Amino acid sequence: ELKLPSYKGQSPQLHLRRYFADLIAIVSNRFRLCPAARHLAVYLLDLFMDRYDISIQQLHVVALSCLLLASKFEEKEDSVPKLEQLNSLGCMTNMNLVLTKQNLLHMELLLLETFQWNLCLPTAAHFIDYYLSIAVHETDLHDGWPMVCLEKTKLYMAKYADYFLEVSLQDHAFLNYAPSLVATACVASSRIILRLSPTWPTRLHHLTAYTWDFLVPCIERLLIAHDNDVKEANKQKGQHAQSAQHIAFQTPAPAAQQANAQQHVTQYLQAHQSSLQYHHQTSQQQNCQQISSNLTASYPLQTCPSALQSSVQGRGHVQTGAAMSLTVPLEVKPCISVSYNRSYQVNGRYSCVTPCFER
């Protein structure tokens, strides 16, 4: 990780970077490639764009070649996309592009020479499984109470971590952080959204070697992106309801929740220190049956049929003609079936619109 090539963010086509990163995500999801291949492909694209001035047509070839190299490095041979499959993609037909074995081989050789034949480049996706192994523990508390179902919490942790990993692909600003730091921030952000305490337990500090203060800038970016995605999902739901019922849609969220996401996140992060301590149960006399009922209702799997699917499915990419309008994550939108006046409260400081969990 310390030997990774430098990234300067000086590509003349930097404004197109989001489009091609999402294109790689779409194609990798279509061919069911692993997250490591997807993240490595985007990283190769970033490094290559940073060094060359490339036409838009050639960028399509470069992006697909990066994905091919990454899949050959990370996947089994049977999973590597074939030439005819790539040529059948909508983006290729829309651009009137046809890949041949010769020009594809030429592009792969150019990429390999650029990277000095070294594709062993760690990304956040290479660290996430290691950190998820202890991301949730039976000693963690949910809303200040013991967890009823540890396995279900681990499932949601993995899904949210995968979501935040995809968020990190959308913005080249995350290349300013070490891949292990991005993966760590994805786990920390997931714990915040799931309302687990302590927010950053000692075991994760020891395993990742990152202190909370060091993670704050990256966590802030991830949480702001999450809030924006939920607001977009809320907006989309309102538009669908208006179209179906021919009535004006009134957003039920209070004004406080419509405030800028930056303010919410900053307030939480400024008060993070007290959350580093384990929270103890304050009332042992409360009826256990009631606790179990409340916590079980917080994790209704049936309310999230498509919100956080496994990484083999797309994370909010829509292709429309020759252009693509790409937003992350669209899959959270069908999940927005709960009222928007319900919000997360983590230690009473961080508040954002609830995307999945019935409260």
Side-chain angles (χ1 to χ4, degrees):
E1 188 177 33
L2 297 176
K3 299 178 181 179
L4 287 174
S6 61
Y7 177 78
K8 300 179 181 179
Q10 60 185 8
S11 170
Q13 291 79 30
L14 192 61
H15 62 287
L16 299 173
R17 188 261 181 197
R18 170 69 184 270
Y19 167 87
F20 286 99
D22 285 333
L23 173 63
I24 289 177
I26 292 171
V27 178
S28 66
N29 286 330
R30 173 172 176 176
F31 294 111
R32 299 175 178 250
L33 302 180
C34 65
R38 178 165 60 254
H39 281 252
L40 178 59
V42 175
Y43 187 48
L44 295 177
L45 176 66
D46 283 327
L47 294 178
F48 194 78
M49 288 179 61
D50 205 39
R51 303 180 186 188
Y52 295 95
D53 188 353
I54 316 166
S55 67
I56 296 180
Q57 276 200 332
Q58 278 297 101
L59 269 174
H60 284 82
V61 180
V62 171
L64 294 179
S65 299
C66 289
L67 184 60
L68 269 182
L69 282 181
S71 62
K72 291 175 181 179
F73 190 76
E74 297 287 350
E75 289 281 1
K76 297 179 180 179
E77 185 176 356
D78 294 341
S79 301
V80 178
K82 305 298 186 294
L83 180 61
E84 57 273 13
Q85 292 176 314
L86 295 177
N87 280 324
S88 66
L89 295 173
C91 64
M92 300 297 289
T93 56
N94 290 335
M95 296 295 296
N96 293 322
L97 289 174
V98 178
L99 287 173
T100 64
K101 291 183 180 179
Q102 183 177 1
N103 59 22
L104 189 60
L105 178 62
H106 174 76
M107 183 58 67
E108 286 188 337
L109 288 173
L110 177 59
L111 288 167
L112 288 169
E113 290 174 358
T114 300
F115 306 127
Q116 299 179 345
W117 293 80
N118 176 30
L119 297 184
C120 190
L121 305 172
T123 68
H126 291 94
F127 289 90
I128 197 69
D129 287 339
Y130 181 52
Y131 295 158
L132 283 176
S133 62
I134 63 167
V136 179
H137 192 265
E138 58 184 5
T139 58
D140 290 336
L141 303 179
H142 175 259
D143 279 342
W145 296 98
M147 289 179 292
V148 172
C149 184
L150 180 63
E151 294 304 318
K152 191 178 292 187
T153 307
K154 288 183 177 180
L155 173 64
Y156 277 108
M157 170 61 68
K159 299 302 181 183
Y160 265 112
D162 180 61
Y163 158 69
F164 281 117
L165 271 182
E166 298 306 306
V167 168
S168 70
L169 281 183
Q170 307 305 314
D171 191 348
H172 69 276
F174 286 98
L175 292 172
N176 296 325
Y177 307 106
S180 58
L181 189 151
V182 175
T184 304
C186 289
V187 172
S189 299
S190 300
R191 288 183 62 86
I192 291 175
I193 297 301
L194 292 174
R195 304 185 301 279
L196 298 178
S197 60
T199 306
W200 195 237
T202 303
R203 67 177 188 279
L204 281 170
H205 180 190
H206 290 165
L207 181 70
T208 64
Y210 287 115
T211 63
W212 178 264
D213 291 336
F214 207 72
L215 296 173
V216 163
C218 190
I219 293 175
E220 186 177 66
R221 285 184 180 273
L222 292 172
L223 292 179
I224 290 173
H226 172 270
D227 283 359
N228 291 336
D229 286 339
V230 173
K231 289 179 181 179
E232 177 64 21
N234 189 9
K235 180 180 178 181
Q236 290 286 339
K237 182 185 178 183
Q239 291 175 350
H240 290 318
Q242 185 177 18
S243 175
Q245 303 175 10
H246 303 285
I247 59 174
F249 181 80
Q250 181 67 33
T251 304
Q257 291 182 356
Q258 300 299 324
N260 187 278
Q262 176 81 34
Q263 180 180 359
H264 289 304
V265 177
T266 303
Q267 290 176 353
Y268 173 76
L269 295 174
Q270 288 176 347
H272 70 276
Q273 290 184 347
S274 62
S275 65
L276 297 179
Q277 303 297 326
Y278 278 92
H279 294 260
H280 297 283
Q281 188 169 332
T282 56
S283 177
Q284 296 289 349
Q285 289 77 23
Q286 183 168 348
N287 186 278
C288 294
Q289 184 176 0
Q290 179 183 357
I291 298 171
S292 175
S293 175
N294 291 338
L295 292 179
T296 303
S298 302
Y299 296 94
L301 286 175
Q302 64 272 20
T303 64
C304 304
S306 57
L308 296 167
Q309 296 293 340
S310 59
S311 60
V312 299
Q313 298 188 10
R315 307 203 65 80
H317 314 279
V318 178
Q319 183 174 352
T320 56
M324 288 187 180
S325 175
L326 302 155
T327 311
V328 174
L330 286 181
E331 289 174 333
V332 80
K333 294 175 182 176
C335 179
I336 311 298
S337 58
V338 296
S339 299
Y340 283 88
N341 58 353
R342 298 166 182 171
S343 64
Y344 288 118
Q345 294 292 337
V346 184
N347 298 331
R349 300 183 186 88
Y350 178 74
S351 175
C352 69
V353 184
T354 307
C356 288
F357 300 105
E358 186 70 60
R359 293 300 298 151

